[in-house]
Amino acid sequence: MRAQSAHRISGQQIHSQNGAQQGEAAKPLVLTETVDQTQKVYAPCPHAFALGLRAGMTLAEARAIHPALATSPASREADAESLQKLARFMVRYSPLVSTDGKDGLLIDATGCAHLFGGEAKMLENMTRLLQKAGITACAAMAETVGAAWALARYRRGSITDSTTSLKALEGLPVRALRLDEASITTLGRLGLKTIGSLTSLPRASLAKRFRGNPAKAVTALLEKLDQTLGRRDEPISPLVPLPEWQVRQAFMEPAQHLEMIEHALTSLAKDLATVLMEAGRGAKRLIFSAYRVDGTVEERIVGISKPSRDAAHFMRLLDEKIKDLEAGFGFDLIMLAALESERLAPSQIGDLRQEEAQAAAKLMDKLAARLGPGSVAKLKHYASHMPERAQQITSASEENLGWADYMASKNRRPMRLLPRPEAVDVLSAVPEGAPKSFRWRRVDHKVVKAEGPERIACEWWLNPHDNTRDYYRVEVSTGARFWLFRHGLYGVPGVRPGESQQPHWYVHGFFA
């Protein structure tokens, strides 16, 4: 793994620095925060830093050094949000990017450096790009996360490999191992001030130098040392999910017109479709990323109901999303990636069933892209005897709807159900006779044929006090067919006391 670390100045500091340069160029500025009821310096501007002001000192100490000091309150939340945005922007260099503390980024550059002409040029390109965006950064590249972290903060611009990493780290202070303050103080008292002084000692002698119970402190020290030297793995947790397939297009000059983006995106869609076809896969979710020269990123995500590698279909979905792109100073890089994919077998040309299914899926995808992913849904079968609970709304991308099992059942169900059962007045034989006639919505209906009953009881674990239903399929003199049910049972032998009451009749649906 080729780890790359970038240590940056606070995003707030940069904005405040720019404001200070425009309004009061000669007046130093610091951002402050309250810690334990004491105002402290959170971040100084370059002018204040040159005067000796440092983060962590109290505001009183800072004013003692420079009384005419300008201050502004800091916001860690705004800084964290700025760092997250910067991390997404750095995905242009590698898909594996994560934040590191409050002011750093970690990038796994394995297999990516050749795209920029080598590791040195990649590092130079990165720092130059950040500088153009107004961000002061210190970057380094090494074999491990710990080594990259240390070199970026104490030997900026360094590029090491497995053979030169230890030599480059030997002269750095033990603070570069990312230890806590207590361990750093203890090591300083023992005369161990550099990483080289630690690596030259046998491990067993380290424990003897710590007084009291050294187990926890020594374990943390050895763990950080092993991670830095590559003896123990330290993976990066990427900020964004790693795409399964990805294609990119860089521009010689920033693209500011939507027509240029659409033309380049069409080419990328064809390239992605070709890559998916060679792999025998179909995309289920696409993400389009457009990188501005000012360090911001525009992202658009589209979902696909059925796996597809149709470039034209990709563009139809993306066209709905990129109409509102704001180029600003221009885009210098765009990427199209498949976040999710599934195996897609070759389809038979001329198969009408497949063509109809694909046409319906493409229509749902386009409606979802235009109206929003939650605007298009399907009905999924739910295993419940109660008709109103036998189906649920699910996403349009759901494949297993379960209706095959439902249709295989012997119970006949109406084509249309009412949103909720409606009460009717019924004339029937007591206690369990079929309806003879009923009145619904002020209209009288005479039953000429009836079939039933089909007895359905509510799930006892959901509503143990609900009454039993007896459903009847009836046909009236006009030819219409209804689905009626009697809610409750008459008080006859064998009926539990809770249902021994006057039943009520309801109409629940209609047959075609």
Side-chain angles (χ1 to χ4, degrees):
M1 178 180 73
R2 295 295 288 162
Q4 192 165 335
S5 178
H7 171 67
R8 73 181 184 98
I9 297 177
S10 163
Q12 283 191 9
Q13 174 188 346
I14 304 226
H15 299 317
S16 301
Q17 169 194 342
N18 292 340
Q21 288 177 348
Q22 293 174 7
E24 304 176 47
K27 195 172 184 179
L29 170 71
V30 296
L31 301 180
T32 62
E33 62 176 350
T34 302
V35 180
D36 297 331
Q37 299 182 350
T38 302
Q39 279 194 308
K40 293 188 176 182
V41 175
Y42 176 74
C45 74
H47 191 186
F49 188 85
L51 294 174
L53 306 184
R54 299 292 183 266
M57 67 168 46
T58 64
L59 183 59
E61 294 173 337
R63 290 196 182 279
I65 296 174
H66 190 82
L69 184 65
T71 62
S72 180
S75 173
R76 290 184 178 269
E77 294 77 12
D79 238 13
E81 183 180 355
S82 174
L83 187 62
Q84 291 275 342
K85 292 180 179 179
L86 182 60
R88 293 188 178 276
F89 178 73
M90 300 306 285
V91 173
R92 62 185 295 142
Y93 292 100
S94 170
L96 295 176
V97 181
S98 67
T99 58
D100 179 34
K102 67 176 185 178
D103 62 353
L105 298 177
L106 287 174
I107 303 173
D108 188 347
T110 306
C112 301
H114 70 280
L115 299 174
F116 303 90
E119 295 177 349
K121 290 187 177 180
M122 180 180 185
L123 207 61
E124 181 185 355
N125 181 283
M126 181 184 302
T127 53
R128 185 174 63 251
L129 185 66
L130 292 174
Q131 186 177 5
K132 287 183 178 179
I135 300 174
T136 303
C138 308
M141 185 178 293
E143 288 291 317
T144 65
V145 171
W149 189 96
L151 294 172
R153 286 159 174 78
Y154 296 94
R155 190 170 292 176
R156 66 178 68 179
S158 301
I159 301 177
T160 64
D161 53 26
S162 56
T163 58
T164 60
S165 181
L166 179 58
K167 185 177 180 180
L169 294 171
E170 285 181 346
L172 301 185
V174 292
R175 188 179 297 274
L177 292 177
R178 299 170 292 173
L179 302 174
D180 59 88
E181 289 296 331
S183 298
I184 294 172
T185 303
T186 302
L187 291 173
R189 290 173 180 174
L190 297 174
L192 303 174
K193 298 182 179 181
T194 63
I195 297 177
S197 62
L198 291 175
T199 57
S200 61
L201 286 176
R203 293 193 171 220
S205 65
L206 281 175
K208 297 179 181 179
R209 292 174 179 259
F210 283 78
R211 296 181 179 179
N213 184 10
K216 186 175 181 180
V218 173
T219 300
L221 171 61
L222 294 179
E223 180 183 3
K224 292 297 184 182
L225 186 61
D226 288 343
Q227 288 176 347
T228 302
L229 299 180
R231 297 168 184 167
R232 182 177 296 187
D233 292 336
E234 186 179 2
I236 293 177
S237 299
L239 183 68
V240 295
L242 185 65
E244 296 185 357
W245 311 94
Q246 178 178 283
V247 291
R248 61 170 59 199
Q249 172 67 56
F251 300 102
M252 296 294 293
E253 296 292 337
Q256 295 182 326
H257 300 288
L258 185 60
E259 292 78 8
M260 297 178 62
I261 302 298
E262 291 177 345
H263 179 74
L265 184 57
T266 302
S267 178
L268 289 184
K270 294 178 181 178
D271 293 342
L272 183 60
T274 302
V275 173
L276 292 171
M277 181 180 63
E278 293 175 351
R281 311 284 292 184
K284 285 281 292 181
R285 195 155 63 104
L286 299 175
I287 178 170
F288 168 69
S289 305
Y291 296 82
R292 295 193 188 94
V293 295
D294 61 355
T296 56
V297 186
E298 288 274 358
E299 291 183 339
R300 300 291 186 271
I301 298 178
V302 295
I304 303 175
S305 56
K306 290 187 176 182
S308 173
R309 49 175 176 254
D310 185 352
H313 185 48
F314 294 168
M315 285 305 302
R316 281 193 292 268
L317 300 179
L318 292 169
D319 280 342
E320 301 289 339
K321 298 288 187 178
I322 65 175
K323 293 178 180 178
D324 59 343
L325 280 180
E326 296 182 2
F329 293 104
F331 299 107
D332 62 349
L333 175 71
I334 61 173
M335 293 195 302
L336 180 63
L339 292 178
E340 296 179 14
S341 69
E342 293 181 5
R343 184 165 295 280
L344 182 60
S347 59
Q348 178 66 43
I349 298 177
D351 190 333
L352 295 180
R353 291 184 178 180
Q354 287 190 6
E355 291 179 359
E356 290 177 355
Q358 292 176 359
K362 291 178 179 179
L363 176 60
M364 287 191 295
D365 293 341
K366 190 169 184 179
L367 291 174
R370 178 173 296 181
L371 305 176
S375 302
V376 182
K378 292 181 180 178
L379 287 177
K380 180 180 180 179
H381 172 55
Y382 177 72
S384 175
H385 295 293
M386 306 306 292
E388 60 269 25
R389 287 201 292 268
Q391 59 189 14
Q392 292 179 337
I393 295 177
T394 185
S395 64
S397 60
E398 180 70 36
E399 292 289 341
N400 185 18
L401 300 178
W403 289 111
D405 298 334
Y406 176 79
M407 298 303 295
S409 64
K410 297 181 180 179
N411 298 323
R412 295 174 58 193
R413 292 292 180 264
M415 295 297 294
R416 178 189 171 195
L417 281 180
L418 291 172
R420 54 179 59 86
E422 297 184 11
V424 293
D425 297 325
V426 173
L427 176 63
S428 65
V430 177
E432 296 185 355
K436 300 297 183 181
S437 64
F438 62 93
R439 182 181 180 86
W440 175 59
R441 293 182 179 178
R442 301 182 182 180
V443 178
D444 294 324
H445 298 277
K446 182 179 180 181
V447 178
V448 296
K449 292 182 181 180
E451 183 180 2
E454 177 188 350
R455 181 158 292 179
I456 298 177
C458 179
E459 293 91 342
W460 58 267
W461 56 90
L462 294 179
N463 189 1
H465 304 294
D466 195 12
N467 293 335
T468 301
R469 301 182 186 182
D470 281 348
Y471 278 87
Y472 291 87
R473 293 180 290 274
V474 301
E475 182 177 338
V476 299
S477 57
T478 59
R481 290 186 291 173
F482 295 83
W483 205 35
L484 307 177
F485 71 89
R486 180 178 53 237
H487 193 220
L489 302 173
Y490 288 96
V492 296
V495 175
R496 62 187 176 92
E499 289 198 281
S500 299
Q501 55 184 336
Q502 182 68 29
H504 299 278
W505 285 85
Y506 297 89
V507 59
H508 203 171
F510 314 94
F511 292 89

